[in-house]
Amino acid sequence: MSATLDPVAGAGSGAPAPTIASTGLTCPVPVATHAHVVLGHGSGGKLSARLFAERFWPRFGNPILGQQADAALLEVAAGTLAMSTDTFVVRPLEFPGGNIGDLAVNGTVNDLAMMGAEPRWLTCGFVLEEGLPLEVLDRVLEAMAAAARATGVTIVAGDTKVVERGKGDGIFINTTGIGMRRAGWAPAPDRIRPGDVVIASGPIGRHGTAILAARDDLGLVTTVTSDTAALWPLVDALHGACGDAVRALRDPTRGGVASTTNELAKSSGVGFRLDEASVPVPPDVTAACEMLGLDPMYVANEGVLVAVVAPEAAAAALAALRSHPLGAQAARIGAAIADHPGMVTMRTHVGGTRVVDMLPGDQLPRIC
Amino acid sequence: MSATLDPVAGAGSGAPAPTIASTGLTCPVPVATHAHVVLGHGSGGKLSARLFAERFWPRFGNPILGQQADAALLEVAAGTLAMSTDTFVVRPLEFPGGNIGDLAVNGTVNDLAMMGAEPRWLTCGFVLEEGLPLEVLDRVLEAMAAAARATGVTIVAGDTKVVERGKGDGIFINTTGIGMRRAGWAPAPDRIRPGDVVIASGPIGRHGTAILAARDDLGLVTTVTSDTAALWPLVDALHGACGDAVRALRDPTRGGVASTTNELAKSSGVGFRLDEASVPVPPDVTAACEMLGLDPMYVANEGVLVAVVAPEAAAAALAALRSHPLGAQAARIGAAIADHPGMVTMRTHVGGTRVVDMLPGDQLPRIC
């Protein structure tokens, strides 16, 4: 954010014009008291500076962000960084269990965590639509700040643009994160071997179901909430308990557990056999998915990880996950096998076996 | 980009349905041959994978991007990183001298360069609007790839989302970059001293003028083109010639040279006195700005830097800049002074002196 902290805004609005002594001006000047985002908030001028000073800085403020230069300066030790970017366009902006703000922080820090990297620094880029109520922006920023605190990541830089009404959709947020990889641990699909155990850290299908149910046009009433959460604490616990025996990690976001296990199978060259009865699906997710015609295996999660661990470490991995509230329902859901390399099959509830394919197309647009 | 490289697309379109042997399927399947962006391109499924494989990978491909994991892994030595983010919403997407693609790469790498950091790695996040012609996307990606090559930065990760028609505006691009700061050099405003020389690396006012002239509704005919360019080569030359005598650098983007010099004056606590006759403004910019009612001092630049250098290094700095085509018209435009700290004044063409204030509001929306 190259915005300065100068809290003086002089651009016009329809609001009354109080005199503010702090400006040093001696006659009444129009002070913007907008309730909604206006184009000037993205202009890089005084309204931008005021937006930053009044809404971003109080929530995100820290010494690095306070450098207020063209770029943030970060001191690093020699090692391996992980870097990930994601743009969030979720609709609606607020949904049961979260909003676009915590989703944007958790989504990117989770990508770092899946590489065995402790999230350290985050940037955020906002595209706001003219007319967005500032109280909505406030709630989103509040959620971002809370999510960043929860996972120990520092927001070091940002940027805000405003587009005309009808050229955006409320708020889009890009987050880009950097993490520092743990020395001596390189979780990756190519380390998966037949016999390894596949674990899900918690109940699946919540995020995508909650989003779809929250869309006005469906009118579906359900208790399902998004699972949006930072996964680094679970990764940290897993690594602490099992070390290098944690072969690979992946968060089953878009495309769900089905697509994630397919990606792992294709990258590793082993097959996967899942057991449908062992996959933790909450009853309200099952019920909502039946009404919506969805398969929970393909529904996005935002607070679940899939871990592939060496068989001798499986018990310790489950215990480590279950020691954390987020992992209380962790379950062994299948195994890597030598058969049908690159393919995922599942033993179904009725005892048959079916192929679990990649997500074929556009199941749920704008769920993240 | 977590998209896989699987180039098989099976989602429907109105196109004919050739059989493709590589799928292993034995009957004709509909293969998407879209000419426009569809929602499925952002779904994370097979259409997303195809978009990546056919359009992003051939242009951006490199071993780090090829890791195809949740995050890119980057080996770093101990030192100081610079990290910057910017989201680009420029309208129109294509304009004389460039498009949103090279603008997005140059904009962010220039922010790193202004901190004395050599640009190394870049991520990009796209928000595409349903219906965008893929040929426009192709030209934008081509320009990004060329700009990245020109400045030696590697695109290491990316993300693509698609929003419904009328919920975006063609293409928005976030770029986030990391650079490695040169050891022993920390250009910053607080190093500016009275007597230092203020240099502009080239003619000002081009980018903002070109964008405004390119907007359909104005119908202004001009030869002005955007100056979008990567500034690292100039910074490298300056540092090579003058070392630590380069006190501070800033690229005068939104708000132009007027706002940038104000920011430097406020941050450094010195005053600035500029000389209007020395500021390089091309004749076509002057003419267009007169018609548009703009002051070139406030117009955005995307390929110009303002350097503040110690007086004894000024000649070497100008020579170094002029040795590069981008800096051929570099000029000394003013000096830091002990008078009126935090304020910028300018000796005008007619011999008077005026205060050069910050950009007061929203001069040119969506110029970057």
Side-chain angles (χ1 to χ4, degrees), chain A residues 110 113-114 116-117 182 185 231-240 246 249 305 321:
Chain A
N110 287 349
M114 294 307 104
R182 285 277 164 86
W185 184 38
L231 294 168
W232 174 251
L234 292 185
V235 174
D236 196 23
L238 268 177
H239 184 240
V246 182
L249 297 166
L305 63 79
L321 289 171

Side-chain angles (χ1 to χ4, degrees), chain A residues 42-43 70 72-76 79-84 86-87 159 161 164 166-167 174 178 181 254 362 366, chain B residues 42-43 70 72-76 79-84 86-87 159 161 164 166 168 174 178 181 254 362 366:
Chain A
S43 70
D70 280 320
L73 296 176
L74 313 171
E75 300 302 323
V76 290
T80 304
L81 301 178
M83 184 179 196
S84 185
D86 230 325
T87 304
D159 174 63
K161 294 293 183 342
E164 301 87 345
K167 300 294 185 185
N174 175 280
I178 296 184
R181 207 173 205 194
R254 290 192 289 186
D362 187 28
R366 301 185 57 186
Chain B
S43 70
D70 280 320
L73 295 176
L74 313 171
E75 300 302 324
V76 290
T80 304
L81 300 179
M83 184 179 196
S84 185
D86 230 325
T87 303
D159 175 64
K161 294 294 184 338
E164 302 87 345
N174 175 281
I178 296 183
R181 206 171 206 197
R254 291 192 290 187
D362 187 27
R366 299 185 60 187

Side-chain angles (χ1 to χ4, degrees), chain A residues 179-257:
Chain A
M180 201 77 198
R181 207 173 205 194
R182 285 277 164 86
W185 184 38
D190 61 9
R191 299 177 61 245
I192 299 174
R193 299 285 174 268
D196 285 352
V197 172
V198 182
I199 292 172
S201 67
I204 71 162
R206 290 174 55 199
H207 178 72
T209 305
I211 293 297
L212 208 58
R215 294 202 177 144
D216 290 334
D217 42 349
L218 292 169
L220 173 68
V221 178
T222 170
T223 55
V224 179
T225 57
S226 170
D227 59 339
T228 180
L231 294 168
W232 174 251
L234 292 185
V235 174
D236 196 23
L238 268 177
H239 184 240
C242 309
D244 197 39
V246 182
R247 314 272 209 205
L249 297 166
R250 190 70 56 105
D251 56 334
T253 54
R254 290 192 289 186
V257 171

Side-chain angles (χ1 to χ4, degrees), chain A residues 278-300:
Chain A
S278 306
V279 177
V281 185
D284 56 358
V285 169
T286 303
C289 282
E290 274 175 15
M291 282 187 280
L292 295 165
L294 299 176
D295 179 346
M297 289 290 288
Y298 288 92
V299 172

Side-chain angles (χ1 to χ4, degrees), chain B residues 144-169:
Chain B
M144 293 186 81
R149 273 194 303 274
T151 198
V153 74
T154 303
I155 295 172
V156 298
D159 175 64
T160 302
K161 294 294 184 338
V162 179
V163 295
E164 302 87 345
R165 205 182 290 263
K167 300 295 184 185
D169 199 11

Side-chain angles (χ1 to χ4, degrees), chain B residues 8-49:
Chain B
V8 182
S13 83
T19 306
I20 40 173
S22 62
T23 63
L25 297 171
T26 54
C27 60
V29 291
V31 172
T33 53
H34 300 288
H36 298 84
V37 167
V38 298
L39 283 173
H41 283 129
S43 70
K46 286 179 176 170
L47 273 181
S48 298

Side-chain angles (χ1 to χ4, degrees), chain A residues 28 42 50 53 67 83 94 96-97 99 109 137 141 168 183 194 277 300 303 305 307 328 339 349 353 355:
Chain A
R50 182 170 172 171
Q67 294 166 354
M83 184 179 196
E94 301 177 282
N99 65 35
V109 300
L137 179 63
L141 298 180
L305 63 79
D339 290 349
H349 283 301
T353 297
V355 172

Side-chain angles (χ1 to χ4, degrees), chain A residues 18-143:
Chain A
T19 306
I20 42 174
S22 62
T23 63
L25 296 170
T26 53
C27 59
V29 290
V31 172
T33 53
H34 300 288
H36 298 83
V37 168
V38 298
L39 283 173
H41 283 130
S43 70
K46 286 180 176 170
L47 273 180
S48 298
R50 182 170 172 171
L51 187 76
F52 177 75
E54 292 183 351
R55 297 176 191 273
F56 289 80
W57 177 256
R59 296 177 174 109
F60 296 172
N62 64 71
I64 300 177
L65 188 59
Q67 294 166 354
Q68 292 282 313
D70 280 320
L73 296 176
L74 313 171
E75 300 302 323
V76 290
T80 304
L81 301 178
M83 184 179 196
S84 185
T85 192
D86 230 325
T87 304
F88 295 82
V89 298
V90 66
R91 179 169 63 82
L93 295 174
E94 301 177 282
F95 44 81
N99 65 35
I100 191 173
D102 42 12
L103 190 67
V105 172
N106 291 333
T108 290
V109 300
N110 287 349
D111 281 341
L112 303 176
M114 294 307 104
M115 302 300 287
E118 182 169 1
R120 296 283 298 276
W121 300 299
L122 197 71
T123 62
C124 12
F126 294 83
V127 178
L128 307 180
E129 185 189 9
E130 181 187 20
L132 175 80
L134 283 170
E135 61 178 0
V136 175
L137 179 63
D138 285 342
R139 291 196 293 270
V140 167
L141 298 180
E142 206 60 58

